[in-house]
């Protein structure tokens, strides 16, 4: 596989806004065009269930997001565009990964930790209101990424930790079962625009300050005229850099248009006039897409068909790969197993061990043997099993002993003899191996 695989998911829990377009949709579509790139863009609807328990919202968001990407010019002949829940191999892979993912790793996930910290601050149970979906979020995301052997995962800063966890989980699986997974890397593009919202903070559904990407013209205009500005009068020079209006303009304008707008700010353009210019510029960029969007939304069955086709294309990769992984972990058909394979037991590393027993003389003894069963120490006779057991426990726990020739003594009493051919170094090494 010589081409580079790029993969990213979009959680289907909201309506796409201008910030999603400039920050994710537009750059992803641009990035999918060069030859030598294989792009996987999918609707993360399983992830949506972690955020919302509103079924209608999940369905509506899935439709709106799919239509937005198609309207924005995504070429589904070039790109793998599918819905996560159409790929049953993904939840199955999630389980295989769950069994190698450290719980401690997931305890450290930012989103889960933030929920726990909030609970602690409020003095309630640390896990109050936390569902296992939130806890397992990074494992499901790792399955999304690893399933398609993505090299690069374009995400926002808040997702970098998740990509690192996917790498971690993949490395652990590879270590246990062989090199099946590609270790992915997060791609955070600093040049991609982060748009301000109506109140000047980052445009985000959680701040309720968004401008929907395909708002009707009248609503778009109304929202743009509601963007917060300062009280500078017409004719007063205005600062372009700190202005939300200017940043929004820049995200949709050519460099030349942007320069002209910067000059207009310096010359004291009235806020109303700047808003009108912004509205016209955005509307000009969006209008052709909006038209396609409305056509698409009017025929959801056609979008459904496109997603089904995308799922077939994705499963052409996922189905055989999952079969390989099932085999790797031992989920195998029995018909083809030979008697010899079944009888074969892996040679587990055998640890040194103590063996305790009673002799015909009525006393209690122990032996210490190495991993191959070779005798290292022969214990002296003890009067009771408790005494013999205490001595063994002492040796296991690293209690000090002294060696006088072949005799080992603890607490002033001879407790064992070095076996013929064994050395004190071997005894110490075997005790250390056992303690580890
Ligand atoms: N968690 C991502 C987000 O909220 C969405 C997502 C799900 C994703 N699976 C993914 C992103 C796999 C990249 C790769 O933004």
């Amino acid at each position: 596989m010589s081409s580079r695989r790029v993969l990213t998911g979009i959680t289907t829990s909201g309506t796409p806004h201008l910030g999603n377009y400039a920050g994710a949709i537009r750059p992803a579509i641009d990035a999918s065009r060069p030859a030598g790139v294989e792009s996987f863009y999918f609707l993360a609807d399983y992830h949506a269930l972690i955020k919302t328990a509103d079924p209608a919202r999940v369905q509506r968001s899935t439709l709106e997001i799919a239509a937005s990407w198609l309207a924005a010019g995504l070429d589904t002949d070039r790109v793998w565009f599918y819905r996560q829940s159409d790929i049953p191999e993904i939840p199955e892979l999630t389980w295989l990964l769950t069994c190698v993912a450290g719980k401690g790793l997931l305890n450290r996930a930012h989103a889960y930790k933030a929920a726990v910290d909030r609970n602690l601050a409020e003095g309630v149970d640390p896990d109050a209101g936390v569902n296992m979906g939130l806890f397992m979020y990074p494992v499901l995301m790792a399955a999304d990424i690893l399933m398609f052997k993505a090299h690069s995962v374009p995400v926002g800063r808040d997702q970098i930790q998740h990509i690192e966890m996917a790498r971690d989980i993949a490395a652990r699986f590879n270590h246990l079962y062989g090199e099946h997974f590609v270790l992915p890397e997060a791609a955070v593009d600093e040049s991609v625009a982060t748009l301000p919202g109506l109140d000047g903070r980052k445009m985000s559904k959680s701040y309720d300050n968004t401008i929907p990407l395909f708002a009707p013209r009248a609503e778009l205009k109304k929202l743009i005229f509601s963007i917060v500005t300062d009280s500078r009068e017409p004719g007063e020079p205005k600062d372009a850099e700190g202005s939300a209006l200017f940043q929004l303009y820049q995200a949709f304008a050519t460099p030349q248009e942007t320069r002209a707008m910067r000059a207009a700010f310096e010359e004291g353009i009235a806020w109303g006039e700047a808003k009108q210019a912004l509205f016209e510029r955005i509307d000009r960029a969006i209008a052709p897409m909006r038209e396609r969007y409305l056509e698409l939304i009017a025929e959801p069955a056609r979008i459904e068909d496109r997603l089904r086709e995308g799922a077939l294309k994705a499963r052409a990769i996922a189905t055989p790969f999952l079969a390989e992984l099932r085999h790797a972990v031992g989920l195998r058909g029995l018909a083809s197993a030979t008697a010899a394979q079944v009888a074969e037991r892996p040679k587990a590393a055998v640890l040194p061990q103590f063996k305790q027993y009673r002799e015909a003389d009525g006393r209690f003894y122990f032996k210490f043997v190495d991993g191959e069963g070779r005798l290292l120490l022969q214990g002296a006779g003890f009067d009771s099993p408790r005494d013999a057991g205490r001595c063994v426990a002492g040796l296991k726990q690293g209690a000090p002993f002294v060696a006088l020739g072949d005799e080992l003594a603890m607490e002033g009493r001879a407790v064992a003899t070095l076996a013929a051919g064994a050395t004190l170094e071997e005894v110490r090494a075997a005790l250390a191996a056992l303690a580890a």
Side-chain angles (χ1 to χ4, degrees):
M1 184 173 59
S2 60
S3 52
R4 202 175 156 66
R5 285 207 177 157
V6 178
L7 175 145
T8 197
I10 312 99
T11 307
T12 56
S13 54
T15 297
H17 53 68
L18 291 181
N20 297 139
Y21 175 71
I25 303 175
R26 190 173 61 186
I29 292 176
D30 288 346
S32 73
R33 293 203 166 107
V37 179
E38 292 183 329
S39 303
F40 292 71
Y41 300 148
F42 69 95
L43 306 166
D45 55 348
Y46 283 136
H47 279 100
L49 303 185
I50 296 164
K51 288 198 190 166
T52 173
D54 177 350
R57 176 166 155 207
V58 175
Q59 187 188 27
R60 190 175 355 100
S61 173
T62 303
L63 176 64
E64 289 173 345
I65 293 176
S68 297
W69 282 72
L70 296 172
L74 185 77
D75 178 356
T76 53
D77 288 335
R78 280 195 61 76
V79 172
W80 283 254
F81 186 59
Y82 54 93
R83 177 170 47 197
Q84 185 186 31
S85 68
D86 283 338
I87 318 292
E89 288 82 1
I90 287 177
E92 187 167 354
L93 176 55
T94 300
W95 181 252
L96 302 190
L97 300 179
T98 298
C99 294
V100 303
K103 178 168 180 287
L105 180 77
L106 297 178
N107 285 341
R108 292 191 288 277
H110 298 321
Y112 169 69
K113 249 178 58 188
V116 168
D117 290 347
R118 255 193 319 273
N119 285 333
L120 291 174
E122 286 166 18
V124 296
D125 185 274
D127 283 324
V130 175
N131 61 50
M132 284 303 288
L134 179 67
F135 190 70
M136 293 292 295
Y137 189 110
V139 186
L140 177 57
M141 192 161 150
D144 292 332
I145 296 168
L146 302 179
M147 178 63 88
F148 296 101
K149 298 194 165 115
H151 303 99
S152 170
V153 186
V155 285
R157 302 212 141 274
D158 61 321
Q159 298 290 316
I160 295 176
Q161 188 197 33
H162 292 148
I163 314 303
E164 280 163 5
M165 290 183 162
R167 281 178 73 85
D168 214 274
I169 294 168
R172 173 127 185 86
F173 189 98
N174 285 353
H175 175 71
L176 290 169
Y177 298 114
E179 294 293 314
H180 296 279
F181 293 128
V182 166
L183 305 192
E185 279 183 37
V188 180
D189 187 347
E190 304 292 353
S191 71
V192 158
T194 310
L195 294 195
L198 300 174
D199 57 0
R201 290 186 293 174
K202 178 185 169 191
M203 189 181 290
S204 161
K205 197 158 41 86
S206 36
Y207 295 145
D208 199 17
N209 65 356
T210 65
I211 302 176
L213 177 54
F214 296 124
R217 265 176 70 89
E219 190 192 337
L220 178 65
K221 182 164 182 177
K222 205 175 120 218
L223 287 169
I224 287 176
F225 274 79
S226 77
I227 294 172
V228 178
T229 53
D230 62 28
S231 57
R232 265 175 257 200
E233 299 287 335
E236 268 188 81
K238 299 177 172 65
D239 184 15
E241 279 327 304
S243 159
L245 270 183
F246 184 79
Q247 285 173 48
L248 284 163
Y249 188 84
Q250 189 170 25
F252 290 91
T254 63
Q256 206 182 347
E257 290 168 328
T258 302
R259 273 195 301 278
M261 183 56 82
R262 188 187 298 278
F265 267 60
E266 282 160 11
E267 286 155 18
I269 186 174
W271 287 126
E273 220 180 304
K275 285 177 174 178
Q276 182 64 29
L278 175 62
F279 163 64
E280 282 168 13
R281 189 63 195 85
I282 292 183
D283 190 54
R284 187 144 57 84
I286 299 293
M289 286 190 271
R290 186 196 291 126
E291 208 169 301
R292 285 197 292 277
Y293 177 81
L294 293 174
E295 280 166 24
L296 285 159
I297 285 280
E299 284 188 273
R302 287 186 49 200
I303 299 181
E304 181 66 27
D305 287 345
R306 304 267 297 261
L307 291 177
R308 295 267 168 109
E309 278 169 29
L312 284 179
K313 201 165 130 185
R315 291 191 74 195
I317 296 173
T319 308
F321 187 37
L322 192 74
E324 173 190 322
L325 296 171
R326 287 178 60 108
H327 184 85
V329 300
L331 304 178
R332 299 174 184 172
L334 303 181
S336 65
T338 64
Q341 276 172 344
V342 174
E344 180 196 320
R345 292 253 155 58
K347 291 177 210 69
V350 181
L351 288 174
Q353 55 179 316
F354 283 95
K355 295 177 175 175
Q356 287 179 241
Y357 57 98
R358 190 175 189 186
E359 280 284 13
D361 63 5
R363 310 190 73 202
F364 297 86
Y365 294 82
F366 70 85
K367 288 183 196 302
F368 184 43
V369 299
D370 72 8
E372 273 100 54
R374 192 167 59 98
L375 184 66
L376 297 175
L377 285 179
Q378 171 62 58
F382 291 85
D383 294 336
S384 75
R386 240 187 105 239
D387 291 345
R390 273 195 46 211
C391 177
V392 167
L395 287 168
K396 281 186 180 169
Q397 288 156 23
F401 58 81
V402 291
L404 303 163
D406 284 351
E407 296 292 320
L408 260 62
M410 284 172 88
E411 296 170 3
R413 179 186 190 287
V415 292
T417 311
L418 208 55
T423 67
L424 201 58
E425 285 68 42
E426 286 175 321
V427 170
R428 291 197 192 279
L431 287 171
L434 197 56

